[in-house]
Amino acid sequence: MTITREAIFQAADELVGRGQEPTLATVRATGGGGSYTKISEAMQAWRQQRDAILQARVVPPPAAMQDRATQWVME
């Protein structure tokens, strides 16, 4: 059975939503089949996309908080 990249991404997102690790086997089972080679290639892209999204969400603390933390450590 041919599985699309979008179906692989959807299966991985679904697994993460259920609190499961999206491995090649679990993505294959959730997505309904496909070759491990194709799933592996798509999962690399999915992980890069997920990491980019997570990095964009990281916001440094306000400067006042950083200053206070530095003061606290110095004490």
Side-chain angles (χ1 to χ4, degrees), residues 34-73:
S35 74
Y36 283 111
T37 301
K38 185 167 187 169
I39 294 169
S40 176
E41 291 169 357
M43 286 301 295
Q44 287 177 0
W46 178 83
R47 284 186 181 95
Q48 289 174 346
Q49 185 180 58
R50 181 187 63 171
D51 290 346
I53 290 168
L54 292 175
Q55 286 295 323
R57 290 183 182 172
V58 174
V59 177
M65 185 181 287
Q66 287 179 327
D67 292 342
R68 181 64 189 125
T70 302
Q71 290 173 354
W72 179 74
V73 169

